[in-house]
Amino acid sequence: MRISFALRGLSLAVALVICAAAPARADFLRAETEHFVIQGEISRGAISEYARKVERFHEMLEMFRPPNSDEFAAPKLWIYLAANNETMRQVWPGVPTTVGGFYSRNDGRIYAVVDLSNENSDSILFHEYAHHYMFQYHNEAYPAWFVEGFAEYLAPSDLRWGRIRYGLWSEGRLNSLAQANNWIPMRTVLSARPNLGSRQGSAYYAQAWLLTHYMNGTPERQRQFSAYLAAVARGEESVAAFEAQTGQTPERLTNSLRAYLGRGVTVYTLTQALPVAEVTVTALPDSTKDAIWLDLRSMRSLGDDKDALIQRVRTMAARHPGERLPTVTLAKFLIEAELPAEAITTLEPVIAADPADAEALWLMASAEMDVADDLEDPAARAALMRQAQLRLGAAYEADPLDFRVYMALLRNRRSAPGYPSDNDLNIAVSAYRLAPQLGSTAFEAAQILMAKEQYLEAVSVLSPLANNPHDGGDLASVRELLAQARERAGLEPLTTDAPPAVEETGPAD
């Protein structure tokens, strides 16, 4: 057995094939483990095995890269099992037919959708979850290539019972590397993330995988790798840091990688058994199947079909009077359609039935704040904001791991006297720790840290965001605030430009 992973310290195309005999009738089920909540119309045996498989992958990640803090409790990742691409289009109308699923992170929810009919299997799922794990438990300012290299290194892992193999490869990656004329210059790979066109994207992912594999190939390179990552995290330019820590120019590195590949990469086998995850499976009501994909659709912006979509949701909710998920789904669409007063009326029976429904309380408070924003009477506005704050307090008591509650509390407090207080700072930092994948939580926390003159802490929060090509947005404001934080903290100015922002399209084939 040889383990050569010595590191310390977002997206599309998730897929899984369930290799179990199809039952005569599958219920809509929910499987819950320590780190995941999985829902889908599937047999109990299949959903249980799926849950144990992703838990094994999580356990493997923890072995190689333990969480920075044992005391931190991270929210569970929700995974939704779709029957096919057509089902996924109910969530994302424009999803390409070649996509086997997607991982979504936005201010409304962090989740993954998996197409059970797609023949691409565990490796793509593991690629996406490796991203999720990296940013949830080790959210640092990594070079852009390593964000993909880390995921690609672990994605092909073989997690059979009693045998774990990692350091594997995919045929597509090897095919890309075999075409030497198609390689991207290693200077470019080290310093930025290119625009992922089909051929260029394939080469980039393949070279990122190979470089990660190479750097973990010997104890000496592992030490160099750790020093290089630390230098980039401090703000040093990636190419210069790599040359300083390894003694290799990008041109020499290209020759080293080709020689390493020519000798044959090493596959590692972990013979020790991983724990068998405890899985709790429960049947969900029939209304869940009718509402669940529309519920996820509410997390995406409404398009030209807004009116027809809202009418469809109203009709769906009317089919299931008094049922929680259809009612809550309707309320989400009403808020998105700027009908907060109707959303409040819609949510009242849900909260009456369960005063500890954290999501319904968060939605009600959000709708109440929307109404308050349009009130001209200051006293009436203050009263409604106070009511919303009380609901958010109850939501926090019901689910202290819901980052949405913390962000809503900050919204509620933003115009209050004395903002930001020390308690506001605690709320912002808590939201960031619960959902560090989101630019909104990081930027909010950094702004309050800056207001509290905690500049080093602001640098720590902003650096991963400023260095992350997955964010997909304009990083100018982030880089500007980071430059201010570094200056006020007495640090040297950044010596590297922001990587180009790209759409999260998952691993290129």
Side-chain angles (χ1 to χ4, degrees), residues 63-119:
M63 288 181 63
F64 294 142
R65 305 198 71 218
N68 286 331
S69 173
D70 293 335
E71 299 177 357
F72 174 69
K76 298 181 181 184
L77 178 65
W78 287 61
I79 302 175
Y80 297 85
L81 308 179
N84 48 44
N85 185 271
E86 182 180 357
T87 302
M88 289 197 304
R89 284 199 294 275
Q90 296 184 56
V91 181
W92 179 9
V95 63
T97 56
T98 55
V99 170
F102 59 92
Y103 169 77
S104 177
R105 54 187 181 92
N106 56 58
D107 291 348
R109 187 177 296 178
I110 299 172
Y111 65 94
V113 176
V114 174
D115 178 3
L116 294 180
S117 70
N118 194 287
E119 64 179 2

Side-chain angles (χ1 to χ4, degrees), residues 102-401:
F102 59 92
Y103 169 77
S104 177
R105 54 187 181 92
N106 56 58
D107 291 348
R109 187 177 296 178
I110 299 172
Y111 65 94
V113 176
V114 174
D115 178 3
L116 294 180
S117 70
N118 194 287
E119 64 179 2
N120 295 320
S121 186
D122 301 337
S123 63
I124 302 176
L125 170 66
F126 294 161
H127 178 106
E128 303 304 338
Y129 187 69
H131 284 323
H132 178 84
Y133 182 92
M134 171 185 278
F135 291 114
Q136 185 72 62
Y137 297 98
H138 293 275
N139 194 30
E140 300 171 12
Y142 299 107
W145 71 265
F146 180 59
V147 174
E148 298 303 339
F150 172 78
E152 283 293 287
Y153 181 74
L154 295 167
S157 299
D158 182 357
L159 299 177
R160 300 179 189 179
W161 291 109
R163 188 189 72 177
I164 305 299
R165 301 174 72 217
Y166 65 98
L168 295 161
W169 60 85
S170 71
E171 292 298 326
R173 298 296 175 242
L174 290 184
N175 288 339
S176 294
L177 293 168
Q179 303 172 48
N181 292 336
N182 290 335
W183 278 44
I184 299 170
M186 287 307 301
R187 184 176 298 274
T188 302
V189 173
L190 287 170
S191 60
R193 175 172 177 170
N195 189 22
L196 296 181
S198 58
R199 179 174 295 182
Q200 187 184 49
S202 296
Y204 183 87
Y205 277 100
Q207 289 170 242
W209 164 79
L210 180 60
L211 180 52
T212 303
H213 210 298
Y214 170 76
M215 292 307 295
N216 282 286
T218 68
E220 180 183 2
R221 289 201 294 269
Q222 291 167 9
R223 290 190 292 270
Q224 294 172 349
F225 198 12
S226 295
Y228 158 72
L229 293 176
V232 173
R234 291 193 299 268
E236 296 183 22
E237 195 275 325
S238 179
V239 174
F242 193 88
E243 290 185 11
Q245 298 302 329
T246 68
Q248 295 199 65
T249 64
E251 293 72 27
R252 181 182 170 191
L253 175 62
T254 301
N255 295 330
S256 297
L257 290 176
R258 286 174 173 161
Y260 180 74
L261 184 64
R263 292 192 297 269
V265 297
T266 303
V267 175
Y268 307 105
T269 300
L270 184 67
T271 56
Q272 68 186 84
L274 295 176
V276 178
E278 294 185 7
V279 182
T280 302
V281 179
T282 54
L284 298 173
D286 291 340
S287 59
T288 297
K289 181 180 179 181
D290 210 10
I292 196 165
W293 306 115
L294 286 170
D295 179 51
L296 294 180
R297 176 66 181 86
S298 70
M299 299 297 107
R300 307 183 71 86
S301 60
L302 303 182
D304 295 337
D305 62 341
K306 178 181 72 173
D307 293 340
L309 183 57
I310 291 176
Q311 183 55 49
R312 178 184 167 196
V313 177
R314 290 185 188 276
T315 301
M316 179 275 298
R319 287 197 297 268
H320 307 284
E323 294 283 345
R324 179 198 177 277
L325 186 59
T327 306
V328 168
T329 299
L330 175 58
K332 290 178 180 178
F333 276 93
L334 292 171
I335 292 173
E336 185 67 24
E338 299 182 0
L339 298 170
E342 187 177 350
I344 290 172
T345 303
T346 301
L347 287 166
E348 285 173 348
V350 178
I351 294 176
D354 183 5
D357 188 323
E359 184 176 45
L361 289 165
W362 161 68
L363 285 170
M364 178 73 91
S366 299
E368 288 171 340
M369 289 189 288
D370 286 347
V371 172
D373 286 343
D374 292 332
L375 293 177
E376 296 183 359
D377 183 352
R381 183 183 186 281
L384 197 52
M385 293 294 281
R386 175 59 180 165
Q387 181 172 299
Q389 187 181 65
L390 293 174
R391 293 196 195 278
L392 291 171
Y396 166 79
E397 293 294 333
D399 186 1
L401 297 184

